[in-house]
């Protein structure tokens, strides 16, 4: 069994540690901040613990669910079976699976959506039918944008805006004309077409940070967590890592997993010579609003034709969290303006808003939320193996087979953990629902 140091206590590092610890290896996680979870975490403001931003998953995120199971927190995720779309003015449509088997399970409720015409629905249906075969046979989907693919499929403008864009900008955190078609199509293939329940949306019922701060680590095996431990650099000599410098001390292990965000890697390991110049960030803005009375009875809804894309009811309809993905238009906007825009838009969907008093508001602009899933980037995402023999990479930006998501981060952690077990001479498989070999070299 081997000693492993994991740099970074985000989901990539935590999942690698959980897999290796569970397999009998001895793992140290070095995390710079005073809490775990990285971007998928929560923190205190005043008396409240709030999520960095609402994080949701789909039932098809099988590796993330496996990681939650390892921690014994899978029952802290509540799954929702319906998606509510609301038009300005308040008209609601619900998408839910019916009795037909996949991929026809949405047939009835899709036909009933009021925000698309019959012609638009037929066009969406035709494009949807093409997805499985195009994903299997076309080699150019990483080279074109999702918008190019939709135009190729002759999608009407309103279907693009109200259906495709509405789903994909939130799922991939990028605009249709900046997003590789491969990522957009994967969302529909895995989340909507492959299984009758794969679209079900999981929402943590506890603050995100609570998912990782529990007794489970004690039962997983030898996993030691060191918070407030920032790694300043790795000592790399003769093609191997000889140790890491953290808080002025040198720590050594047999194997190392670097699970840092891409913009941090060159700083700690310049010897790796990774060219990450093609990687850019895409922002997400979360707007937390607390009212003096309930403004909605829905658990969540997606809001059409406006800046705000999603509303999540975080507490009796009085505390709502609004999410804007690929939120470049809000990054420079003063916080007071963001809040007044949010209130104005929210009132168009929920008639109780104008009569409610806003008691408190909080805006979180995550400028470095995820990498931008641009065409051409996929082949530049590094795999877990590196040119340094005992160093492996993880992180949502590495080649996980998924876009930058919690599932992508956990997949990368499991792939790095598999690579460590291979290097230690005790190969093991942790990745679920995918062929690890596809991402190994
Ligand atoms: C606002 C927002 C909303 C999102 N919504 C969703 C969603 O709904 N669903 C979804 O699936 N995904 C969502 N994501 C994406 C998801 O959060 C990320 O893809 C995932 O959490 C990335 O995990 P990671 O471990 O790769 O990186 P990180 O979470 O960034 O972890 C890296 C860790 O390394 C630590 N670190 C950095 N430097 C050092 C150092 N020198 N030494 C030691 N430690 C260091 C950091 O503190 C951090 O904890 C969202 C992201 C954001 C920002």
């Amino acid at each position: 069994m081997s000693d492993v140091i994991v740099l970074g206590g985000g989901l990539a590092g935590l999942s690698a540690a959980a897999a290796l610890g569970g397999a009998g290896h001895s793992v140290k996680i070095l995390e710079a901040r005073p809490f775990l979870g990285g971007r998928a975490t929560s923190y205190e403001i005043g008396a409240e613990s709030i999520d960095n931003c609402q994080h949701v998953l789909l039932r098809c995120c099988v590796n993330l669910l496996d990681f939650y199971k390892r921690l014994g927190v899978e029952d802290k995720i509540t799954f929702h079976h319906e998606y509510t779309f609301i038009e300005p003015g308040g008209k609601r449509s619900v998408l839910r699976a019916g009795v037909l088997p996949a991929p026809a399970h949405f047939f009835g409720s899709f036909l009933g959506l009021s925000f698309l015409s019959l012609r638009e629905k037929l066009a969406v249906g035709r494009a949807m039918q093409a997805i499985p075969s195009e994903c299997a046979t076309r080699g150019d989907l990483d080279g074109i944008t999702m918008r190019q693919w939709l135009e190729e499929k002759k999608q009407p403008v309103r279907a693009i805006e109200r259906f495709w864009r509405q789903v994909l900008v939130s799922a991939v955190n990028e605009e249709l004309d900046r997003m590789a078609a491969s990522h957009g199509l994967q969302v529909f293939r895995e989340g909507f077409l492959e299984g009758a329940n794969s679209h079900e949306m999981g929402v943590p019922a506890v603050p995100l940070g609570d998912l990782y701060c529990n007794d489970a680590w004690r039962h997983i095996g030898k996993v030691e967590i060191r918070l407030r431990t920032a790694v300043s650099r790795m000592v790399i000599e003769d093609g191997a890592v000889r140790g890491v410098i953290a808080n002025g001390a040198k720590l050594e292990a047999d194997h190392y997993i670097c699970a840092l965000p891409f913009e941090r890697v060159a700083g700690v390991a310049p010897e790796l010579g990774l060219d990450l110049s093609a990687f850019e960030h895409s922002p997400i803005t979360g707007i937390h609003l607390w009212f003096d009375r309930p403004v909605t009875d829905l658990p969540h809804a997606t809001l059409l034709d406006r800046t705000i894309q999603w509303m999540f009811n975080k507490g009796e309809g009085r505390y709502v969290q609004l999410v804007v993905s690929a939120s470049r238009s809000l990054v420079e906007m003063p916080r007071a303006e963001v809040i007044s825009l949010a209130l104005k838009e929210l009132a168009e969907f929920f008639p109780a808003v104008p009569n409610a008093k806003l008691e408190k508001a909080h805006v979180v602009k995550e400028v470095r939320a995820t990498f931008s899933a641009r065409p051409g980037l996929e082949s530049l995402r590094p795999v877990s193996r590196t040119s340094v023999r005992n160093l492996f990479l993880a992180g949502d930006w590495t080649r996980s087979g998924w876009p930058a998501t919690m599932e992508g981060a956990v997949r990368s952690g499991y792939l790095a953990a598999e690579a460590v077990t291979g290097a230690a001479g005790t190969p093991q498989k942790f990745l679920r629902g995918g062929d690890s070999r596809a991402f190994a070299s």
Side-chain angles (χ1 to χ4, degrees):
M1 289 295 145
S2 135
D3 275 337
V4 185
I5 285 182
V6 175
L7 286 69
L11 283 173
L14 295 180
S15 55
L20 289 170
H25 299 273
S26 172
V27 188
K28 264 190 205 78
I29 302 172
L30 310 181
E31 166 55 47
R33 297 201 277 181
F35 45 81
L36 295 176
R39 278 167 275 163
T41 197
S42 45
Y43 49 82
E44 312 293 320
I45 55 158
E48 315 240 9
S49 179
I50 66 162
D51 288 345
N52 183 29
C53 184
Q54 179 68 57
H55 274 62
V56 302
L57 57 132
L58 298 184
R59 187 80 79 177
C60 62
C61 296
V62 292
N63 290 283
L64 178 61
L65 290 168
D66 179 70
F67 168 62
Y68 288 150
K69 205 167 178 181
R70 286 175 186 274
L71 293 184
V73 296
E74 73 275 27
D75 60 336
K76 305 271 188 286
I77 308 297
T78 308
F79 278 94
H80 298 257
H81 310 280
E82 297 184 347
Y83 290 83
T84 304
F85 292 72
I86 315 185
E87 295 166 66
K91 193 163 186 189
R92 298 179 182 184
S93 299
V94 174
L95 191 64
R96 68 167 77 84
V99 291
L100 293 175
H105 50 302
F106 286 126
F107 185 74
S109 73
F110 184 74
L111 274 185
L113 298 178
S114 66
F115 60 90
L116 294 177
S117 69
L118 183 60
R119 186 181 80 87
E120 289 158 351
K121 286 176 202 167
L122 291 174
V124 170
R126 270 198 310 276
M128 206 63 88
Q129 271 184 327
I131 291 177
S133 64
E134 297 223 354
C135 286
T137 55
R138 276 180 72 160
D140 64 340
L141 294 174
D142 183 47
I144 62 169
T145 67
M146 189 64 201
R147 189 175 290 279
Q148 283 172 313
W149 188 87
L150 292 168
E151 284 167 359
E152 190 187 283
K153 294 289 171 291
K154 308 218 170 345
Q155 294 299 288
V157 173
R158 239 169 49 125
I160 292 180
E161 284 306 308
R162 290 188 145 191
F163 182 73
W164 297 101
R165 181 174 180 275
Q166 196 68 24
V167 174
L168 289 178
V169 172
S170 312
V172 183
N173 188 33
E174 196 42 285
E175 287 293 346
L176 298 178
D177 44 14
R178 290 171 175 251
M179 173 195 305
S182 52
H183 287 300
L185 297 182
Q186 183 181 13
V187 170
F188 281 99
R189 181 168 53 85
E190 297 202 26
F192 287 79
L193 298 172
E194 275 189 359
N197 68 355
S198 53
H199 66 284
E200 289 177 4
M201 184 162 74
V203 180
V206 295
L208 283 167
D210 290 7
L211 296 173
Y212 330 113
C213 294
N214 64 26
D215 292 344
W217 290 103
R218 268 190 266 137
H219 307 299
I220 273 180
K222 283 209 249 164
V223 178
E224 183 193 339
I225 296 168
R226 295 200 186 174
L227 301 174
R228 296 188 176 86
T229 306
V231 175
S232 51
R233 71 184 168 86
M234 303 185 107
V235 181
I236 300 178
E237 287 162 7
D238 303 326
V241 183
R242 306 293 172 188
V244 298
I245 308 297
N247 295 350
K250 186 173 177 193
L251 302 167
E252 296 177 12
D254 304 316
H255 298 98
Y256 299 80
I257 294 178
C258 176
L260 305 182
F262 68 84
E263 66 275 11
R264 296 282 163 83
V265 177
V268 296
E271 296 87 346
L272 270 182
L274 284 180
D275 178 7
L276 301 177
S277 55
F279 282 74
E280 286 174 27
H281 288 103
S282 181
I284 299 180
T285 299
I287 305 155
H288 303 250
L289 302 175
W290 288 263
F291 293 98
D292 66 342
R293 68 197 74 179
V295 295
T296 180
D297 53 353
L298 290 171
H300 47 74
T302 181
L303 314 180
L304 295 168
D305 304 338
R306 293 294 180 268
T307 311
I308 307 298
Q309 294 146 355
W310 277 89
M311 179 283 300
F312 292 91
N313 178 348
K314 302 294 290 177
E316 296 158 4
R318 290 182 53 236
Y319 167 28
V320 296
Q321 199 190 127
L322 312 175
V323 182
V324 186
S325 297
S327 62
R328 292 183 181 83
S329 67
L330 301 184
V331 169
E332 297 299 328
M333 193 182 280
R335 271 154 218 275
E337 266 179 51
V338 173
I339 294 165
S340 75
L341 174 82
L343 287 173
K344 183 169 148 278
E345 291 195 357
L346 209 56
E348 295 183 74
F349 298 90
F350 302 101
V353 169
N355 298 322
K357 183 167 166 267
L358 183 68
E359 293 187 323
K360 197 165 58 165
H362 184 68
V363 178
V364 185
K365 295 180 188 177
E366 274 280 358
V367 177
R368 293 175 164 182
T370 66
F371 71 81
S372 165
R374 305 282 289 270
L377 195 73
E378 195 54 26
S379 61
L380 303 175
R381 291 170 78 183
V383 295
S384 41
R385 277 180 203 289
T386 69
S387 53
V388 175
R389 62 176 175 274
N390 59 349
L391 173 59
F392 304 89
L393 293 175
D396 62 354
W397 55 280
T398 60
R399 198 176 308 168
S400 69
W402 266 61
T405 51
M406 297 187 288
E407 170 73 4
V410 171
R411 286 175 65 94
S412 78
Y414 282 179
L415 286 165
E418 287 182 6
V420 166
T421 62
T426 52
Q428 268 194 270
K429 189 163 162 36
F430 303 116
L431 190 75
R432 290 172 169 247
D435 180 0
S436 329
R437 282 170 307 173
F439 312 102
S441 57

